[in-house]
Each structure stands twice: as C-alpha cells, then as structure tokens.
Amino acid sequence: MSWRDAYQSKRVTANEAVSHIKSGDRIVLAHAAAEPMILVDAMAANADAYRDVEFVNLVCLTEAPYCAPEYQKNFRLNSLFVGAPARKAVAEGRADFTPVFFHEVPALLQTRLQPDATFLQLSPPNAHGYCSFGVSVDYTKTAAQKCGGINIAQINKHMPCTYGDSFIHVSELDYIVEHDETLVELQPPVLGDVEKAIGRNVASLIQDGDCLQLGIGSIPDAVLAGLTDKKDLGIYTEMFSDGVVDLVEAGVINNKHKNIHNGKLVATFLMGTQKLYDFVDHNPMVEMLSVDYVNDPRIAAQNDNLVAINACVQVDLLGQVVSDSIGLRQISGVGGQVDFVRAANMSKGGRAIMAMPSTTKGISKIVPFIAEGAAVTTNRFDVNYVVTEHGIAALKGRTLRERAAALIKIAHPDFREALAIEYEKRFHAKFKESEWVKG
Ligand code: COA
C-alpha cells in the first residue's frame, strides 16, 4: 500500500481515535505548543468511559482537563515539569510530579514510564510521507518511535515543518485525526525596570562569540533584549522564543563560532508567538533534535564558551539555588536547568548564571536558609554567578564567607541588614562592608 493510501486508511475522528484508549492506560502527551488539544478534549468529552488513565507530559500551556477536579476518577496527571495549570492539582494531591532531568526523560519513557499510547501533533506529510514534529521533538520522538504503544496523531497544517531530526513516517502512525488550528502562543513578557537591569547585568557577563542556553521565564527574554550590541553569538539551547528571532534578524546571532552544529540554531522545543512559528518553518538554520541529545551535558559541553542562563526562585547564603519549589509547593521542575548548568561547567570558557529579581511580593529571594520543604535544584558547587537587578555575585572558587558577602551585596537594600546579622551568626565574624567581595 502506498503511504498516501495508508494515510487515508488511518484517518478517523477524534472520538474514534480515543476509543482505542482503555482504562488504566498510560498516555504520553506531546507538550507545550505541540499538545494535541483535539485529542485531549475528546478524552475529556468521553471521560465516563475511562478510569485511572495516566497522562505523562512536561509543560502545559493549556487548561489541562486531565488534572481538573471533575475528572479525578478518570484521569491522573504524572507531570515531569509542573507548569502553571498543574500546580494546583499537584498541591491538592490530584496529580503527581516525577523529578527527572530533561535529558533523561526519553530513557524513562523506554523503561518505567512506557506508554500504551502517544498523542502527537504533527505537520502534514511531505512528498515522501514524512510528518514533522515541528515545535516539539524533545521526548515526543522517542515516545512515538522507541517505546511501543499506539501513536495517535493530530495532523495540523499550522504545525511548522522543522528540520534536524524531526520526522516520523505515516507508516509509524496508527490513527490520524486531521484538525487545523493555530498553535498555542506564549506572549513575550512585558519587561519592567527590574528585568531590564537584570538583563543588562547578565549581558555584561556575555562576550562576543559566546554560545547561549536560555531557560524559561521572563529573565531570558530580558537578557536577549540586552544583547543587541553583541556580535557572533550562537544558540545551543533546550528551547527558545521570539527574542532569538529578533537577534538573528539583527545579525547578532549567526552561530559561526560553535564547535558543533556550526551555523545552526539548535533546540529541542519551542514556545512563542506566530512570529516564531513562521520563522522556524522550513528554515534550514534551525535544527530540532531529541532532548537526550541536545540536553546531554557531555554533548552540549562540546561548545566552547557555553553560557547557561536560567532563572530561580530562591538562593541561600551558601549559593544553593531553588528553582522548582516554594517551600512545600511544587511550582515547576528541573527541566534542562541542571543539564545546562553542568554542561556550562564542563565547557571550555563556559559560565553558569542564575538570575532573578532580588524580591517578589515584598519578600527577599536571597535568604539565610532555603524555605522549609523546598528542594535544592542547582547545587552550590555548580553555580558560577548569581545575578539580580543590584549586581552580580561571582561564587565560583569563593569561600563560604565570600559567597555570603557577595550575595548580600546583590540583595535588595531593605534586606541587607537582616542578612548581615545572619552572616555574623553563621561565620562568627563581624560583617564589614570592606569585606565584601568586589564583582
Ligand atoms: N517566594 C515566594 N514566591 C515566589 C518566590 C519566592 N522566593 N519566587 C517566586 N515566587 C512566586 C512569584 O511571585 C510568582 O507568583 P505569581 O505566579 O503569583 O505571580 C511565581 O512564584 C512564579 O515566579 P516568577 O519569578 O514570576 O516565574 P518565572 O515565570 O519568571 O519563572 C522559574 C521562574 C524559576 C519558575 C522558571 O525559570 C523555572 O521553572 N525554572 C526551572 C526550570 C528551568 O530553569 N529550566 C531551564 C531550561 S528550560
């Protein structure tokens, strides 16, 4: 049978497609802007037919009915990265969180979390019968091609066709649901004075020719906005957004100094606006690759001068970084933060930067002790720089006393005195401004 005939024979409605799911099945769901909502909505519409179906995914950008209270008996989310819609469900015990480095997710899906079904959203097939994973190759490609289980795909003409290792043949799909809809968009954050100051401080640590990894949140966008006067930057990152498009178009990013994937923008998933999705469509400059490759620290570190820029929620006076919990509350996951922090430490000339506003809602984010119940995301041995709107604390190679002093110096002025008292208790030494480490 030709692939065209096979394609036609696999076409079904969303309701027919999800009728192949049984109670107790595990569904691996493509995530972020690639989440196939037509299939998720069909599951919700037929919820009474299911008990204890487990959904596994990373970033949710949508309403996530699979963790809504009304479907508690039908569905349970096992989140590998707790995005905003999943936070309440995890906090209320209606969903689970599995801590895992992003680069290890494909291995997890081939072992402990093998899917009975994978839900995909793909571009229409090309002339040879290959559909593109588009904006989300990450763990989705492994789930569909190496884990067994059935593959149910939404085919959407709005899913960009991306290059790299981003294709699956129609023969590998079991059921096809044609449904065109524009992708979910993530709007760029509005940058205030604090974010702009953080962006300028981080930009001062970036040199022409560096290769950048950018994390999730408003800080990476602020950093990109501060890089317009740099030259010859490269991108080797887990994900990128609209800010990278602006810098490519301005000629700032050209990837010409990268040791691997020279000349290419490398990522494993993408989230942004339609501008980003149009930019990556059929763009040979963009290489979308599996996360077990992109985020493997041993591979990422092959780029010299790899600068990992990530955000966090709390840093203690030792330099321990909390990025995925606020006390007992799970608000995120490790994602690729530690993958790239490790890679930056292994890269020749590399730097690992953690950036955050010095306060949130009137609370200092630099604290004597991390909040009770919180978990360290990036350990103190791996952090090179912590950046706030008040400056840069260079921690690598510094004593505990020097680290604490450098961190107090970049805390919000309202909290420095209280932190200095904690310094004196911990180090049995008078805290003198003259002892503060410079730069
Ligand atoms: N105490 C109490 N609340 C805090 C806090 C603290 N120390 N730090 C942050 N918060 C609150 C904020 O006020 C905000 O609350 P709101 O939702 O009510 O507005 C919320 O937590 C989110 O914080 P914010 O700083 O706005 O988040 P962000 O969107 O900039 O993302 C991270 C920051 C750290 C959550 C995000 O970068 C992340 O998930 N990192 C871990 C994974 C990662 O780095 N991956 C990198 C590769 S993709």
PDB file of all heavy atoms in Angstrom, residues 81 87 213-219 238-239 269 310-314 323-324 326 331-337 357 360-361 363-365, ligand 1:
ATOM      1  N   PHE A  81       7.236  18.144  34.798  1.00  0.00           N
ATOM      2  CA  PHE A  81       7.579  19.567  34.971  1.00  0.00           C
ATOM      3  C   PHE A  81       6.260  20.263  35.250  1.00  0.00           C
ATOM      4  O   PHE A  81       5.394  20.324  34.371  1.00  0.00           O
ATOM      5  CB  PHE A  81       8.198  20.101  33.675  1.00  0.00           C
ATOM      6  CG  PHE A  81       8.633  21.550  33.746  1.00  0.00           C
ATOM      7  CD1 PHE A  81       9.967  21.861  33.948  1.00  0.00           C
ATOM      8  CD2 PHE A  81       7.723  22.587  33.599  1.00  0.00           C
ATOM      9  CE1 PHE A  81      10.380  23.181  34.005  1.00  0.00           C
ATOM     10  CE2 PHE A  81       8.124  23.915  33.659  1.00  0.00           C
ATOM     11  CZ  PHE A  81       9.465  24.208  33.855  1.00  0.00           C
ATOM     12  N   ARG A  87      -0.089  23.154  38.835  1.00  0.00           N
ATOM     13  CA  ARG A  87       0.381  23.446  40.202  1.00  0.00           C
ATOM     14  C   ARG A  87      -0.667  23.133  41.264  1.00  0.00           C
ATOM     15  O   ARG A  87      -0.378  22.511  42.280  1.00  0.00           O
ATOM     16  CB  ARG A  87       0.770  24.924  40.323  1.00  0.00           C
ATOM     17  CG  ARG A  87       2.097  25.210  39.672  1.00  0.00           C
ATOM     18  CD  ARG A  87       2.432  26.685  39.700  1.00  0.00           C
ATOM     19  NE  ARG A  87       3.586  26.926  38.836  1.00  0.00           N
ATOM     20  CZ  ARG A  87       3.929  28.119  38.367  1.00  0.00           C
ATOM     21  NH1 ARG A  87       3.219  29.189  38.662  1.00  0.00           N
ATOM     22  NH2 ARG A  87       4.977  28.257  37.588  1.00  0.00           N
ATOM     23  N   GLN A 213      22.648  29.185  26.166  1.00  0.00           N
ATOM     24  CA  GLN A 213      21.437  28.419  26.501  1.00  0.00           C
ATOM     25  C   GLN A 213      20.561  29.351  27.324  1.00  0.00           C
ATOM     26  O   GLN A 213      21.038  30.053  28.217  1.00  0.00           O
ATOM     27  CB  GLN A 213      21.762  27.180  27.342  1.00  0.00           C
ATOM     28  CG  GLN A 213      20.507  26.461  27.858  1.00  0.00           C
ATOM     29  CD  GLN A 213      20.143  26.825  29.303  1.00  0.00           C
ATOM     30  OE1 GLN A 213      20.996  27.206  30.090  1.00  0.00           O
ATOM     31  NE2 GLN A 213      18.860  26.687  29.640  1.00  0.00           N
ATOM     32  N   LEU A 214      19.275  29.361  27.020  1.00  0.00           N
ATOM     33  CA  LEU A 214      18.349  30.254  27.721  1.00  0.00           C
ATOM     34  C   LEU A 214      17.245  29.434  28.352  1.00  0.00           C
ATOM     35  O   LEU A 214      16.635  28.599  27.691  1.00  0.00           O
ATOM     36  CB  LEU A 214      17.737  31.239  26.727  1.00  0.00           C
ATOM     37  CG  LEU A 214      18.803  32.084  26.016  1.00  0.00           C
ATOM     38  CD1 LEU A 214      18.367  32.434  24.624  1.00  0.00           C
ATOM     39  CD2 LEU A 214      19.108  33.316  26.825  1.00  0.00           C
ATOM     40  N   GLY A 215      16.981  29.686  29.612  1.00  0.00           N
ATOM     41  CA  GLY A 215      15.938  28.938  30.311  1.00  0.00           C
ATOM     42  C   GLY A 215      14.554  29.514  30.083  1.00  0.00           C
ATOM     43  O   GLY A 215      14.322  30.282  29.150  1.00  0.00           O
ATOM     44  N   ILE A 216      13.654  29.154  30.989  1.00  0.00           N
ATOM     45  CA  ILE A 216      12.240  29.515  30.879  1.00  0.00           C
ATOM     46  C   ILE A 216      11.946  30.712  31.779  1.00  0.00           C
ATOM     47  O   ILE A 216      12.567  30.864  32.826  1.00  0.00           O
ATOM     48  CB  ILE A 216      11.391  28.286  31.303  1.00  0.00           C
ATOM     49  CG1 ILE A 216      11.230  27.363  30.101  1.00  0.00           C
ATOM     50  CG2 ILE A 216      10.080  28.637  31.922  1.00  0.00           C
ATOM     51  CD1 ILE A 216      10.436  26.108  30.397  1.00  0.00           C
ATOM     52  N   GLY A 217      10.980  31.561  31.387  1.00  0.00           N
ATOM     53  CA  GLY A 217      10.548  32.674  32.243  1.00  0.00           C
ATOM     54  C   GLY A 217      10.907  34.013  31.625  1.00  0.00           C
ATOM     55  O   GLY A 217      11.397  34.088  30.500  1.00  0.00           O
ATOM     56  N   SER A 218      10.633  35.092  32.376  1.00  0.00           N
ATOM     57  CA  SER A 218      10.823  36.435  31.809  1.00  0.00           C
ATOM     58  C   SER A 218      12.293  36.843  31.746  1.00  0.00           C
ATOM     59  O   SER A 218      12.688  37.676  30.932  1.00  0.00           O
ATOM     60  CB  SER A 218      10.036  37.454  32.639  1.00  0.00           C
ATOM     61  OG  SER A 218      10.361  37.305  33.991  1.00  0.00           O
ATOM     62  N   ILE A 219      13.145  36.249  32.600  1.00  0.00           N
ATOM     63  CA  ILE A 219      14.555  36.663  32.652  1.00  0.00           C
ATOM     64  C   ILE A 219      15.282  36.417  31.320  1.00  0.00           C
ATOM     65  O   ILE A 219      15.961  37.315  30.808  1.00  0.00           O
ATOM     66  CB  ILE A 219      15.283  35.958  33.829  1.00  0.00           C
ATOM     67  CG1 ILE A 219      14.621  36.310  35.157  1.00  0.00           C
ATOM     68  CG2 ILE A 219      16.772  36.283  33.842  1.00  0.00           C
ATOM     69  CD1 ILE A 219      14.612  37.776  35.527  1.00  0.00           C
ATOM     70  N   GLU A 238      17.855  24.296  25.099  1.00  0.00           N
ATOM     71  CA  GLU A 238      16.694  23.401  25.148  1.00  0.00           C
ATOM     72  C   GLU A 238      15.502  24.001  24.402  1.00  0.00           C
ATOM     73  O   GLU A 238      14.845  23.353  23.616  1.00  0.00           O
ATOM     74  CB  GLU A 238      16.367  23.221  26.615  1.00  0.00           C
ATOM     75  CG  GLU A 238      15.089  22.572  26.925  1.00  0.00           C
ATOM     76  CD  GLU A 238      14.919  22.553  28.438  1.00  0.00           C
ATOM     77  OE1 GLU A 238      15.924  22.316  29.142  1.00  0.00           O
ATOM     78  OE2 GLU A 238      13.803  22.764  28.901  1.00  0.00           O
ATOM     79  N   MET A 239      15.211  25.272  24.677  1.00  0.00           N
ATOM     80  CA  MET A 239      14.088  25.920  23.991  1.00  0.00           C
ATOM     81  C   MET A 239      14.437  27.369  23.709  1.00  0.00           C
ATOM     82  O   MET A 239      15.296  27.934  24.357  1.00  0.00           O
ATOM     83  CB  MET A 239      12.786  25.843  24.796  1.00  0.00           C
ATOM     84  CG  MET A 239      12.794  26.395  26.176  1.00  0.00           C
ATOM     85  SD  MET A 239      12.218  28.084  26.437  1.00  0.00           S
ATOM     86  CE  MET A 239      10.844  28.302  25.427  1.00  0.00           C
ATOM     87  N   PHE A 269      12.682  22.055  21.899  1.00  0.00           N
ATOM     88  CA  PHE A 269      11.298  22.501  21.721  1.00  0.00           C
ATOM     89  C   PHE A 269      11.260  24.020  21.680  1.00  0.00           C
ATOM     90  O   PHE A 269      12.256  24.689  22.001  1.00  0.00           O
ATOM     91  CB  PHE A 269      10.344  21.904  22.768  1.00  0.00           C
ATOM     92  CG  PHE A 269      10.335  22.513  24.140  1.00  0.00           C
ATOM     93  CD1 PHE A 269       9.313  23.360  24.546  1.00  0.00           C
ATOM     94  CD2 PHE A 269      11.325  22.213  25.060  1.00  0.00           C
ATOM     95  CE1 PHE A 269       9.277  23.903  25.828  1.00  0.00           C
ATOM     96  CE2 PHE A 269      11.309  22.747  26.338  1.00  0.00           C
ATOM     97  CZ  PHE A 269      10.285  23.597  26.723  1.00  0.00           C
ATOM     98  N   ASN A 310      19.747  30.818  33.475  1.00  0.00           N
ATOM     99  CA  ASN A 310      18.493  30.259  33.978  1.00  0.00           C
ATOM    100  C   ASN A 310      17.971  31.083  35.141  1.00  0.00           C
ATOM    101  O   ASN A 310      18.723  31.802  35.799  1.00  0.00           O
ATOM    102  CB  ASN A 310      18.718  28.805  34.419  1.00  0.00           C
ATOM    103  CG  ASN A 310      18.956  27.907  33.226  1.00  0.00           C
ATOM    104  OD1 ASN A 310      18.033  27.585  32.480  1.00  0.00           O
ATOM    105  ND2 ASN A 310      20.206  27.529  32.994  1.00  0.00           N
ATOM    106  N   ALA A 311      16.678  30.933  35.391  1.00  0.00           N
ATOM    107  CA  ALA A 311      16.029  31.710  36.452  1.00  0.00           C
ATOM    108  C   ALA A 311      15.787  30.823  37.667  1.00  0.00           C
ATOM    109  O   ALA A 311      15.811  29.593  37.572  1.00  0.00           O
ATOM    110  CB  ALA A 311      14.710  32.266  35.939  1.00  0.00           C
ATOM    111  N   CYS A 312      15.557  31.459  38.812  1.00  0.00           N
ATOM    112  CA  CYS A 312      15.326  30.685  40.024  1.00  0.00           C
ATOM    113  C   CYS A 312      14.413  31.460  40.973  1.00  0.00           C
ATOM    114  O   CYS A 312      14.122  32.640  40.728  1.00  0.00           O
ATOM    115  CB  CYS A 312      16.653  30.365  40.703  1.00  0.00           C
ATOM    116  SG  CYS A 312      17.681  31.789  40.998  1.00  0.00           S
ATOM    117  N   VAL A 313      13.960  30.798  42.034  1.00  0.00           N
ATOM    118  CA  VAL A 313      13.041  31.462  42.964  1.00  0.00           C
ATOM    119  C   VAL A 313      13.703  31.845  44.282  1.00  0.00           C
ATOM    120  O   VAL A 313      13.247  32.755  44.965  1.00  0.00           O
ATOM    121  CB  VAL A 313      11.763  30.634  43.236  1.00  0.00           C
ATOM    122  CG1 VAL A 313      10.950  30.440  41.985  1.00  0.00           C
ATOM    123  CG2 VAL A 313      12.056  29.311  43.890  1.00  0.00           C
ATOM    124  N   GLN A 314      14.773  31.171  44.658  1.00  0.00           N
ATOM    125  CA  GLN A 314      15.404  31.458  45.946  1.00  0.00           C
ATOM    126  C   GLN A 314      16.869  31.012  45.924  1.00  0.00           C
ATOM    127  O   GLN A 314      17.188  29.973  45.333  1.00  0.00           O
ATOM    128  CB  GLN A 314      14.663  30.669  47.036  1.00  0.00           C
ATOM    129  CG  GLN A 314      14.704  31.278  48.393  1.00  0.00           C
ATOM    130  CD  GLN A 314      13.781  30.568  49.374  1.00  0.00           C
ATOM    131  OE1 GLN A 314      13.809  29.353  49.497  1.00  0.00           O
ATOM    132  NE2 GLN A 314      12.966  31.333  50.081  1.00  0.00           N
ATOM    133  N   SER A 323      14.756  26.372  42.300  1.00  0.00           N
ATOM    134  CA  SER A 323      14.083  26.882  41.091  1.00  0.00           C
ATOM    135  C   SER A 323      12.723  26.258  40.870  1.00  0.00           C
ATOM    136  O   SER A 323      11.976  26.710  40.005  1.00  0.00           O
ATOM    137  CB  SER A 323      14.934  26.591  39.848  1.00  0.00           C
ATOM    138  OG  SER A 323      16.240  27.041  40.027  1.00  0.00           O
ATOM    139  N   ASP A 324      12.411  25.173  41.567  1.00  0.00           N
ATOM    140  CA  ASP A 324      11.173  24.477  41.193  1.00  0.00           C
ATOM    141  C   ASP A 324      10.199  24.292  42.347  1.00  0.00           C
ATOM    142  O   ASP A 324       9.172  23.636  42.177  1.00  0.00           O
ATOM    143  CB  ASP A 324      11.468  23.133  40.508  1.00  0.00           C
ATOM    144  CG  ASP A 324      12.206  22.143  41.386  1.00  0.00           C
ATOM    145  OD1 ASP A 324      13.204  22.532  42.019  1.00  0.00           O
ATOM    146  OD2 ASP A 324      11.782  20.971  41.438  1.00  0.00           O
ATOM    147  N   ILE A 326       8.451  26.335  46.063  1.00  0.00           N
ATOM    148  CA  ILE A 326       8.392  27.423  47.049  1.00  0.00           C
ATOM    149  C   ILE A 326       7.951  26.759  48.333  1.00  0.00           C
ATOM    150  O   ILE A 326       6.777  26.399  48.489  1.00  0.00           O
ATOM    151  CB  ILE A 326       7.406  28.525  46.610  1.00  0.00           C
ATOM    152  CG1 ILE A 326       7.856  29.132  45.275  1.00  0.00           C
ATOM    153  CG2 ILE A 326       7.298  29.603  47.686  1.00  0.00           C
ATOM    154  CD1 ILE A 326       6.858  30.084  44.656  1.00  0.00           C
ATOM    155  N   ILE A 331       6.296  24.215  42.080  1.00  0.00           N
ATOM    156  CA  ILE A 331       5.784  25.178  41.095  1.00  0.00           C
ATOM    157  C   ILE A 331       6.387  24.968  39.707  1.00  0.00           C
ATOM    158  O   ILE A 331       6.036  25.672  38.767  1.00  0.00           O
ATOM    159  CB  ILE A 331       6.023  26.640  41.514  1.00  0.00           C
ATOM    160  CG1 ILE A 331       7.522  26.965  41.627  1.00  0.00           C
ATOM    161  CG2 ILE A 331       5.286  26.987  42.787  1.00  0.00           C
ATOM    162  CD1 ILE A 331       7.838  28.394  41.262  1.00  0.00           C
ATOM    163  N   SER A 332       7.286  24.017  39.592  1.00  0.00           N
ATOM    164  CA  SER A 332       7.965  23.848  38.312  1.00  0.00           C
ATOM    165  C   SER A 332       8.696  22.511  38.353  1.00  0.00           C
ATOM    166  O   SER A 332       8.339  21.639  39.147  1.00  0.00           O
ATOM    167  CB  SER A 332       8.927  25.038  38.135  1.00  0.00           C
ATOM    168  OG  SER A 332       9.569  24.968  36.910  1.00  0.00           O
ATOM    169  N   GLY A 333       9.693  22.350  37.513  1.00  0.00           N
ATOM    170  CA  GLY A 333      10.524  21.147  37.548  1.00  0.00           C
ATOM    171  C   GLY A 333      11.946  21.574  37.248  1.00  0.00           C
ATOM    172  O   GLY A 333      12.205  22.757  37.016  1.00  0.00           O
ATOM    173  N   VAL A 334      12.835  20.606  37.199  1.00  0.00           N
ATOM    174  CA  VAL A 334      14.222  20.982  36.884  1.00  0.00           C
ATOM    175  C   VAL A 334      14.365  21.313  35.394  1.00  0.00           C
ATOM    176  O   VAL A 334      15.204  22.120  35.010  1.00  0.00           O
ATOM    177  CB  VAL A 334      15.207  19.865  37.323  1.00  0.00           C
ATOM    178  CG1 VAL A 334      14.988  18.590  36.540  1.00  0.00           C
ATOM    179  CG2 VAL A 334      16.645  20.308  37.180  1.00  0.00           C
ATOM    180  N   GLY A 335      13.505  20.700  34.563  1.00  0.00           N
ATOM    181  CA  GLY A 335      13.634  20.913  33.117  1.00  0.00           C
ATOM    182  C   GLY A 335      15.075  20.660  32.707  1.00  0.00           C
ATOM    183  O   GLY A 335      15.693  19.671  33.128  1.00  0.00           O
ATOM    184  N   GLY A 336      15.625  21.578  31.934  1.00  0.00           N
ATOM    185  CA  GLY A 336      17.012  21.411  31.493  1.00  0.00           C
ATOM    186  C   GLY A 336      17.988  22.253  32.281  1.00  0.00           C
ATOM    187  O   GLY A 336      19.145  22.408  31.880  1.00  0.00           O
ATOM    188  N   GLN A 337      17.522  22.832  33.406  1.00  0.00           N
ATOM    189  CA  GLN A 337      18.409  23.745  34.135  1.00  0.00           C
ATOM    190  C   GLN A 337      19.731  23.082  34.531  1.00  0.00           C
ATOM    191  O   GLN A 337      20.812  23.583  34.236  1.00  0.00           O
ATOM    192  CB  GLN A 337      17.691  24.299  35.370  1.00  0.00           C
ATOM    193  CG  GLN A 337      18.569  25.239  36.151  1.00  0.00           C
ATOM    194  CD  GLN A 337      17.820  26.013  37.236  1.00  0.00           C
ATOM    195  OE1 GLN A 337      18.175  25.919  38.401  1.00  0.00           O
ATOM    196  NE2 GLN A 337      16.818  26.772  36.872  1.00  0.00           N
ATOM    197  N   PRO A 357      14.948  38.440  40.070  1.00  0.00           N
ATOM    198  CA  PRO A 357      14.735  39.705  40.784  1.00  0.00           C
ATOM    199  C   PRO A 357      15.114  39.502  42.245  1.00  0.00           C
ATOM    200  O   PRO A 357      14.956  38.401  42.773  1.00  0.00           O
ATOM    201  CB  PRO A 357      13.231  39.959  40.642  1.00  0.00           C
ATOM    202  CG  PRO A 357      12.762  39.041  39.561  1.00  0.00           C
ATOM    203  CD  PRO A 357      13.698  37.873  39.544  1.00  0.00           C
ATOM    204  N   THR A 360      10.306  39.305  45.556  1.00  0.00           N
ATOM    205  CA  THR A 360       8.998  39.063  44.940  1.00  0.00           C
ATOM    206  C   THR A 360       7.955  39.340  46.007  1.00  0.00           C
ATOM    207  O   THR A 360       8.103  38.890  47.149  1.00  0.00           O
ATOM    208  CB  THR A 360       8.867  37.638  44.382  1.00  0.00           C
ATOM    209  OG1 THR A 360       7.598  37.504  43.754  1.00  0.00           O
ATOM    210  CG2 THR A 360       8.985  36.559  45.456  1.00  0.00           C
ATOM    211  N   LYS A 361       6.936  40.105  45.657  1.00  0.00           N
ATOM    212  CA  LYS A 361       5.842  40.416  46.593  1.00  0.00           C
ATOM    213  C   LYS A 361       6.381  40.866  47.957  1.00  0.00           C
ATOM    214  O   LYS A 361       5.933  40.393  49.014  1.00  0.00           O
ATOM    215  CB  LYS A 361       4.932  39.206  46.753  1.00  0.00           C
ATOM    216  CG  LYS A 361       4.286  38.779  45.433  1.00  0.00           C
ATOM    217  CD  LYS A 361       3.598  37.448  45.560  1.00  0.00           C
ATOM    218  CE  LYS A 361       3.018  36.998  44.236  1.00  0.00           C
ATOM    219  NZ  LYS A 361       2.817  35.575  44.118  1.00  0.00           N
ATOM    220  N   ILE A 363       9.160  40.105  49.426  1.00  0.00           N
ATOM    221  CA  ILE A 363       9.982  39.113  50.158  1.00  0.00           C
ATOM    222  C   ILE A 363      11.343  39.055  49.463  1.00  0.00           C
ATOM    223  O   ILE A 363      11.417  39.078  48.235  1.00  0.00           O
ATOM    224  CB  ILE A 363       9.361  37.698  50.055  1.00  0.00           C
ATOM    225  CG1 ILE A 363       7.899  37.689  50.457  1.00  0.00           C
ATOM    226  CG2 ILE A 363      10.154  36.672  50.839  1.00  0.00           C
ATOM    227  CD1 ILE A 363       7.201  36.388  50.068  1.00  0.00           C
ATOM    228  N   SER A 364      12.423  38.898  50.260  1.00  0.00           N
ATOM    229  CA  SER A 364      13.746  38.738  49.640  1.00  0.00           C
ATOM    230  C   SER A 364      13.881  37.333  49.056  1.00  0.00           C
ATOM    231  O   SER A 364      13.480  36.349  49.694  1.00  0.00           O
ATOM    232  CB  SER A 364      14.843  38.941  50.680  1.00  0.00           C
ATOM    233  OG  SER A 364      16.104  38.735  50.076  1.00  0.00           O
ATOM    234  N   LYS A 365      14.452  37.240  47.881  1.00  0.00           N
ATOM    235  CA  LYS A 365      14.701  35.923  47.282  1.00  0.00           C
ATOM    236  C   LYS A 365      16.096  35.414  47.651  1.00  0.00           C
ATOM    237  O   LYS A 365      16.411  34.255  47.428  1.00  0.00           O
ATOM    238  CB  LYS A 365      14.511  36.005  45.765  1.00  0.00           C
ATOM    239  CG  LYS A 365      13.024  36.257  45.425  1.00  0.00           C
ATOM    240  CD  LYS A 365      12.780  36.578  43.979  1.00  0.00           C
ATOM    241  CE  LYS A 365      13.028  35.424  43.086  1.00  0.00           C
ATOM    242  NZ  LYS A 365      11.887  35.057  42.236  1.00  0.00           N
TER     243      LYS A 365
HETATM  244  N1  COA B   1       8.901  33.150  47.499  1.00  0.00           N
HETATM  245  C1  COA B   1       7.579  33.173  47.254  1.00  0.00           C
HETATM  246  N2  COA B   1       7.055  33.226  45.995  1.00  0.00           N
HETATM  247  C2  COA B   1       7.926  33.271  44.965  1.00  0.00           C
HETATM  248  C3  COA B   1       9.322  33.265  45.146  1.00  0.00           C
HETATM  249  C4  COA B   1       9.806  33.192  46.484  1.00  0.00           C
HETATM  250  N3  COA B   1      11.115  33.179  46.746  1.00  0.00           N
HETATM  251  N4  COA B   1       9.912  33.345  43.930  1.00  0.00           N
HETATM  252  C5  COA B   1       8.926  33.375  43.012  1.00  0.00           C
HETATM  253  N5  COA B   1       7.740  33.345  43.638  1.00  0.00           N
HETATM  254  C6  COA B   1       6.431  33.383  43.005  1.00  0.00           C
HETATM  255  C7  COA B   1       6.284  34.639  42.144  1.00  0.00           C
HETATM  256  O1  COA B   1       5.871  35.744  42.913  1.00  0.00           O
HETATM  257  C8  COA B   1       5.260  34.193  41.135  1.00  0.00           C
HETATM  258  O2  COA B   1       3.994  34.219  41.742  1.00  0.00           O
HETATM  259  P1  COA B   1       2.655  34.503  40.860  1.00  0.00           P
HETATM  260  O3  COA B   1       2.545  33.329  39.919  1.00  0.00           O
HETATM  261  O4  COA B   1       1.578  34.576  41.884  1.00  0.00           O
HETATM  262  O5  COA B   1       2.915  35.809  40.158  1.00  0.00           O
HETATM  263  C9  COA B   1       5.607  32.721  40.904  1.00  0.00           C
HETATM  264  O6  COA B   1       6.331  32.303  42.073  1.00  0.00           O
HETATM  265  C10 COA B   1       6.486  32.490  39.672  1.00  0.00           C
HETATM  266  O7  COA B   1       7.670  33.244  39.799  1.00  0.00           O
HETATM  267  P2  COA B   1       8.290  34.094  38.569  1.00  0.00           P
HETATM  268  O8  COA B   1       9.599  34.611  39.063  1.00  0.00           O
HETATM  269  O9  COA B   1       7.324  35.073  38.024  1.00  0.00           O
HETATM  270  O10 COA B   1       8.446  32.954  37.499  1.00  0.00           O
HETATM  271  P3  COA B   1       9.051  32.925  36.031  1.00  0.00           P
HETATM  272  O11 COA B   1       7.923  32.724  35.102  1.00  0.00           O
HETATM  273  O12 COA B   1       9.984  34.048  35.773  1.00  0.00           O
HETATM  274  O13 COA B   1       9.872  31.560  36.106  1.00  0.00           O
HETATM  275  C11 COA B   1      11.096  29.903  37.307  1.00  0.00           C
HETATM  276  C12 COA B   1      10.886  31.392  37.041  1.00  0.00           C
HETATM  277  C13 COA B   1      12.284  29.747  38.239  1.00  0.00           C
HETATM  278  C14 COA B   1       9.865  29.300  37.978  1.00  0.00           C
HETATM  279  C15 COA B   1      11.376  29.199  35.950  1.00  0.00           C
HETATM  280  O14 COA B   1      12.515  29.764  35.354  1.00  0.00           O
HETATM  281  C16 COA B   1      11.588  27.705  36.114  1.00  0.00           C
HETATM  282  O15 COA B   1      10.638  26.969  36.069  1.00  0.00           O
HETATM  283  N6  COA B   1      12.850  27.268  36.280  1.00  0.00           N
HETATM  284  C17 COA B   1      13.168  25.861  36.492  1.00  0.00           C
HETATM  285  C18 COA B   1      13.385  25.095  35.230  1.00  0.00           C
HETATM  286  C19 COA B   1      14.417  25.699  34.329  1.00  0.00           C
HETATM  287  O16 COA B   1      15.148  26.603  34.672  1.00  0.00           O
HETATM  288  N7  COA B   1      14.515  25.194  33.151  1.00  0.00           N
HETATM  289  C20 COA B   1      15.529  25.727  32.236  1.00  0.00           C
HETATM  290  C21 COA B   1      15.572  25.107  30.948  1.00  0.00           C
HETATM  291  S1  COA B   1      14.037  25.356  30.058  1.00  0.00           S
END
